[in-house]
Amino acid sequence: AAGVIQSPRHLIKEKRETATLKCYPIPRHDTVYWYQQGPGQDPQFLISFYEKMQSDKGSIPDRFSAQQFSDYHSELNMSSLELGDSALYFCASSLGDDEQFFGPGTRLTVL
Amino acid sequence: SQQGEEDPQALSIQEGENATMNCSYKTSINNLQWYRQNSGRGLVHLILIRSNEREKHSGRLRVTLDTSKKSSSLLITASRAADTASYFCATVPPNFGNEKLTFGTGTRLTIIP
């Protein structure tokens, strides 16, 4: 069965650079979530989209923005990167408020 | 915001033994879910227990929920080396569906062969 796809799987950036993370949800899933997991930390909810509209917002910095496109894939844009942004970024998708299925994550390292 | 706290933070046991991890949370819930995460990998949904349920089984997993104590436990019986992972509980507040997950801090389980 198709799973959530995230790209890239690994990303290395310098401070103050910009990064774009992509998420491709499971087909027919209409809701996408983004989470950030710092080293040794629990996943923290960033933002979610339902039917291409932002549905909920968590602890997402103002330097980050996200959107969901007409094909339901989502992108997380991160600007003015800081060392503290180094983390695993997970995307999850669901059909409405059914169970969330998580992707493998993108490991972002900021040098 | 509501958050689960896992106990213990780290647990090491011999293969074949049972592993018990606990989760406590602060406010009312709609349901509580347990996830597994292998090192640096994605989260895998294990089991969901609703606020009106007290116990649930899935294979070698047994989850209990005590809403009066705001706590849940995950028992893995007959542990295997492949069970080595971090285990997180996540809660969903009342009147929300699974779109509003809040994760706890996790228990790092190591199974010693």
Side-chain angles (χ1 to χ4, degrees), chain A residues 18-87:
Chain A
T18 297
T20 298
L21 279 53
K22 297 185 179 182
C23 170
Y24 298 86
I26 291 172
R28 290 184 294 280
H29 280 193
D30 51 18
T31 308
V32 167
Y33 314 80
W34 286 97
Y35 293 84
Q36 177 192 57
Q37 185 179 28
Q41 304 293 313
D42 54 295
Q44 294 288 324
F45 171 72
L46 293 178
I47 195 166
S48 63
F49 292 87
Y50 169 69
E51 285 290 343
K52 293 153 277 183
M53 299 285 289
Q54 181 182 308
S55 57
D56 200 4
K57 201 170 182 180
S59 50
I60 183 169
D62 292 339
R63 299 177 289 108
F64 295 6
S65 65
Q67 55 182 325
Q68 187 179 29
F69 294 86
S70 57
D71 64 351
Y72 293 96
H73 96 271
S74 178
E75 294 183 4
L76 177 65
N77 298 293
M78 309 157 69
S79 62
S80 303
L81 287 169
E82 302 173 355
L83 296 178
D85 296 330
S86 295

Side-chain angles (χ1 to χ4, degrees), chain B residues 42-82:
Chain B
L43 291 153
V44 176
H45 182 267
L46 295 177
I47 200 165
L48 180 153
I49 187 164
R50 302 187 190 284
S51 60
N52 62 351
E53 297 176 312
R54 292 296 166 258
E55 188 171 313
K56 208 160 182 181
H57 297 255
S58 176
R60 293 183 296 113
L61 305 180
R62 174 177 162 247
V63 168
T64 63
L65 179 65
D66 187 337
T67 52
S68 66
K69 295 181 180 177
K70 293 187 170 56
S71 68
S72 173
S73 68
L74 170 67
L75 168 67
I76 303 175
T77 60
S79 63
R80 306 168 182 169

Side-chain angles (χ1 to χ4, degrees), chain A residues 9 33 35 37 40-45 56 88 90 96-100 102-105 107, chain B residues 3 33 35 37 39-45 88 96-106:
Chain A
R9 294 292 308 276
Y33 314 80
Y35 293 84
Q37 185 179 28
Q41 304 293 313
D42 54 295
Q44 294 288 324
F45 171 72
D56 200 4
L88 263 173
F90 289 106
D97 61 2
D98 286 349
E99 176 190 345
Q100 293 184 29
F102 284 80
R107 182 173 292 281
Chain B
Q3 184 176 27
Q33 304 175 33
Y35 286 80
Q37 183 180 33
S39 182
R41 307 286 293 277
L43 291 153
V44 176
H45 182 267
F88 293 89
F96 283 93
N98 293 322
E99 76 277 12
K100 202 115 175 123
L101 277 178
T102 301
F103 284 88
T105 51

